[in-house]
Amino acid sequence: MTVKTITVKEIANKIIRGEDLFIVDVRNQEEYADWRIEGKNVQVVNIPYFEVLDGVDPFLEQLPKEKENEIYVVCAKGGSSLFVAEKLEQAGFSHVYSIEGGMKAWSEHLQPVKIAELKNGGAIYQFVRLGKGCLSYLIESNGEGALIDTNRMTDVYVEFAKEREISIKYVIDTHLHADHISGGRKLAEQLGATYYLPPKDATEVTFSYAPIQDEDLIQVGHAVIEAVHSPGHTIGSTSFIIDDQYLLTGDVLFIDSIGRPDLAGKAQDWVGDLRKTLYERYKQLADDLLVLPAHFMVPGEMNDDGSVGTTLGMLYAKNHGLNIASEEEFRKTVTENLPPQPNAYQEIRQTNMGKLHPDEEQQREMEIGPNRCAVR
């Protein structure tokens, strides 16, 4: 019996289209509880691999009653899911698919979404990493491009730019990332581009970079990128205004949450900076700026087209983190109600500093797990 398979790209497209998906996750309960495939119309059940060695009959009540319904099976790497998919077929389910590459492949998939045209020509694209909650960006104008907050899967950006005949001139990180390995420096070296990093986050890096400072301007074709120093998540965190239309907030402000200040061990020191950025610096900006963050936490933050973003004015109206009147309560919220820290975040920070040089498999293991950059 040959088990049918499906790629993570196809799964991503189904989720973005809002299709109903029924997924059987066969990893152990601890891994499943920590992190799983999510979406607005996704139903997931956890049936550990070792519990179905003799068949799926004990779990029939958890499965679709109509055996013609599609079932997608996922494991860690794509092996165990083939076995369980076969067991489901033996039990009479006729449309069962094993997800190729498992959760590792899901973690690495990038889904490009066009946000909009730029007012002076060109466009801005968002690369959605559904399995990790990471968001990165390409600004292109007149054949030139700038990449912001790229992931380590650099081939996706290179191929995307090549297909559209875009010459990448600049690669920028809004801050020194702690939850995923940046592809910025690698891309800059590969493409002969300038790599920008906020200098206050770069005091320990082991490589050369171009510092990006508050109010600096970067010209990309006919588009203008303006730097806005916005500390709080890190001391160097820098946002970027694109053509007075878009505000890339890095990990300082999200759609349904705000950035956490503790990933460099400086929560008490940086909470004041975070409040000043959110309650003073951003308040001076135009309400109609479309906020495009570097992460999202839950599928509910996604728009119907799969993008993540909304206006600054809407966030000030609805985001709880922007509406805490008491400074004492704000400080308590962002220092005492923090989620677990990202997996291997210290090693990831050191890798992004150039101090560690993990191989590809080690990098995958370091990044396994959900996005944990936010306070809700």
Side-chain angles (χ1 to χ4, degrees):
M1 183 182 295
T2 302
V3 174
K4 297 183 285 291
T5 62
I6 188 169
T7 66
V8 293
K9 181 178 180 179
E10 291 173 289
I11 291 291
N13 284 327
K14 287 177 178 293
I15 290 175
I16 287 173
R17 289 195 296 264
E19 296 182 19
D20 293 329
L21 294 185
F22 188 94
I23 297 175
V24 175
D25 191 318
V26 302
R27 296 173 299 152
N28 65 49
Q29 293 178 354
E30 183 179 349
E31 291 173 321
Y32 170 78
D34 184 50
W35 173 55
R36 53 191 173 272
I37 295 176
E38 296 181 288
K40 290 181 181 178
N41 296 307
V42 175
Q43 181 180 354
V44 189
V45 298
N46 181 217
I47 303 178
Y49 165 80
F50 288 109
E51 296 184 23
V52 297
L53 295 178
D54 295 325
V56 299
D57 287 352
F59 302 96
L60 289 177
E61 290 188 1
Q62 298 181 47
L63 299 170
K65 292 181 179 180
E66 300 296 330
K67 292 195 173 182
E68 292 77 21
N69 288 2
E70 293 178 344
I71 298 176
Y72 303 95
V73 188
V74 69
C75 63
K77 300 179 183 179
S80 300
S81 59
L82 289 168
F83 175 85
V84 176
E86 186 171 1
K87 290 291 184 182
L88 288 166
E89 288 184 342
Q90 291 171 357
F93 294 93
S94 56
H95 294 90
V96 184
Y97 299 83
S98 171
I99 298 177
E100 297 173 11
M103 291 301 289
K104 281 198 172 182
W106 179 244
S107 173
E108 295 180 344
H109 176 67
L110 296 178
Q111 188 82 7
V113 179
K114 185 176 181 178
I115 298 297
E117 303 286 333
L118 298 176
K119 64 181 182 181
N120 295 319
I124 181 167
Y125 296 88
Q126 184 180 70
F127 291 79
V128 183
R129 190 176 176 185
L130 285 160
K132 186 73 178 170
C134 299
L135 301 167
S136 47
Y137 298 90
L138 168 63
I139 291 91
E140 68 88 7
S141 174
N142 197 34
E144 297 184 353
L147 289 163
I148 299 179
D149 285 338
T150 56
N151 291 267
R152 61 179 171 80
M153 291 74 70
T154 56
D155 288 349
V156 176
Y157 306 106
V158 173
E159 292 170 8
F160 190 88
K162 185 177 180 181
E163 288 173 0
R164 289 157 181 78
E165 298 183 340
I166 301 168
S167 176
I168 303 299
K169 298 294 185 181
Y170 311 103
V171 185
I172 307 166
D173 272 324
T174 56
H175 63 288
L176 187 79
H177 294 281
D179 75 312
H180 73 273
I181 295 168
S182 169
R185 184 160 52 100
K186 178 182 176 182
L187 274 165
E189 292 173 356
Q190 179 180 351
L191 300 173
T194 301
Y195 177 50
Y196 283 103
L197 188 64
K200 290 184 178 180
D201 278 3
T203 56
E204 297 182 55
V205 304
T206 63
F207 49 83
S208 299
Y209 68 95
I212 186 77
Q213 307 276 12
D214 188 44
E215 298 184 352
D216 281 353
L217 301 178
I218 299 174
Q219 187 84 31
V220 182
H222 301 304
V224 176
I225 301 174
E226 178 183 357
V228 179
H229 184 220
S230 45
H233 177 64
T234 66
I235 194 63
S237 287
T238 300
S239 303
F240 294 97
I241 298 175
I242 315 298
D243 272 1
D244 296 322
Q245 294 175 277
Y246 307 100
L247 175 64
L248 275 62
T249 54
D251 283 352
V252 172
L253 176 62
F254 307 110
I255 302 304
D256 193 37
S257 53
I258 59 176
R260 61 190 296 169
D262 68 311
L263 294 183
K266 300 289 184 72
Q268 294 296 334
D269 294 339
W270 291 353
V271 66
D273 292 318
L274 181 63
R275 184 171 176 86
K276 187 172 183 178
T277 291
L278 298 176
Y279 285 68
E280 297 179 27
R281 192 79 198 263
Y282 281 175
K283 273 282 191 180
Q284 299 170 3
L285 304 178
D287 281 349
D288 61 353
L289 284 172
L290 185 70
V291 171
L292 299 170
H295 285 95
F296 68 101
M297 289 185 66
V298 294
E301 295 176 76
M302 298 181 71
N303 300 316
D304 290 342
D305 64 354
S307 68
V308 179
T310 192
T311 64
L312 187 60
M314 184 65 70
L315 291 184
Y316 274 112
K318 294 191 173 183
N319 188 319
H320 174 261
L322 297 177
N323 291 281
I324 303 174
S326 164
E327 186 169 350
E328 181 180 352
E329 182 185 348
F330 180 88
R331 180 176 291 273
K332 185 175 181 180
T333 298
V334 300
T335 58
E336 296 182 12
N337 299 312
L338 294 167
Q341 292 177 321
N343 295 336
Y345 77 98
Q346 293 284 23
E347 290 84 357
I348 290 173
R349 290 185 76 246
Q350 291 184 333
T351 299
N352 288 333
M353 291 177 189
K355 294 181 177 182
L356 290 182
H357 304 279
D359 61 30
E360 187 172 352
E361 189 57 33
Q362 289 172 327
Q363 291 182 46
R364 286 192 178 117
E365 291 297 327
M366 288 162 64
E367 287 191 339
I368 287 295
N371 158 46
R372 290 174 174 153
C373 281
V375 179
R376 296 184 74 197

